[in-house]
Amino acid sequence: MATRQLGRGVVIQSLYEWDFYGRKEKIEDVIERNLEEFAPGFSEKEFVLELATGVVGKIDELDKIIEASAPQWPIDKLPIIDRNALRIGLYELLHADRKEVPPRVAINEAIELAKTYGGHNSGKFINGVMGTVYREIGEPDRNPETSRTGKE
């Protein structure tokens, strides 16, 4: 498994735990514990911490995007894995450095998280929502000059 893929796995497990227990613990503490348990000696700890704290810092914005892109699924009714796979994917799609995480990589990684940790239809659902948002922001890796995010 690629290093960042393993890191995203730790992030989704940590966000799941954090979300499941009502967001009572600091995400940094959950990440630290899960890195030690699931990925001892992991070399990209900073990537994991930045991704998790980035998602948590933008959670209200990300949840509004999810609700707008999948209005038939209120955020609190989504399976915890699905909503956190979407949060991770959307955070990377909208806020990550595109040289490090191109838009299609952000989408694909979110789908893979959903397939690995979610239910039978999670991958399809994540693909649909992420594809909708990707088109909404102007398909940045296909049409960089018309992208609406300004993160080229």
Side-chain angles (χ1 to χ4, degrees), residues 117-138:
Y117 299 99
H120 181 68
N121 292 317
S122 294
K124 291 177 186 174
F125 176 69
I126 302 306
N127 185 35
V129 175
M130 293 294 295
T132 297
V133 174
Y134 176 74
R135 286 185 297 280
E136 269 299 307
I137 64 171

Side-chain angles (χ1 to χ4, degrees), residues 61-95:
E61 171 194 331
L62 299 172
D63 287 356
K64 285 178 186 168
I65 293 168
I66 294 167
E67 288 177 336
S69 301
Q72 68 281 19
W73 287 98
I75 199 79
D76 62 330
K77 300 296 183 207
L78 283 174
I80 297 173
I81 286 292
D82 291 4
R83 71 176 168 238
N84 283 299
L86 280 169
R87 288 169 175 160
I88 292 167
L90 289 170
Y91 178 81
E92 288 196 301
L93 177 65
L94 300 172
H95 299 288

Side-chain angles (χ1 to χ4, degrees), residues 1-14 31 34-35 37-45 47-48 51 88 109 113 116-117:
M1 180 182 283
T3 304
R4 290 209 165 179
Q5 204 168 33
L6 174 61
R8 287 181 186 94
V10 171
V11 171
I12 198 162
Q13 291 171 344
S14 299
I31 289 287
N34 287 338
L35 275 171
E37 183 174 344
F38 300 117
F42 184 70
S43 63
E44 292 211 31
K45 180 179 172 184
F47 167 75
V48 172
L51 182 56
I88 292 167
E109 290 297 328
L113 285 171
T116 302
Y117 299 99

Side-chain angles (χ1 to χ4, degrees), residues 94-114:
L94 300 172
H95 299 288
D97 180 345
R98 291 231 169 107
K99 290 179 180 84
E100 282 188 38
V101 185
R104 290 176 194 238
V105 171
I107 293 167
N108 188 54
E109 290 297 328
I111 293 166
E112 289 304 314
L113 285 171

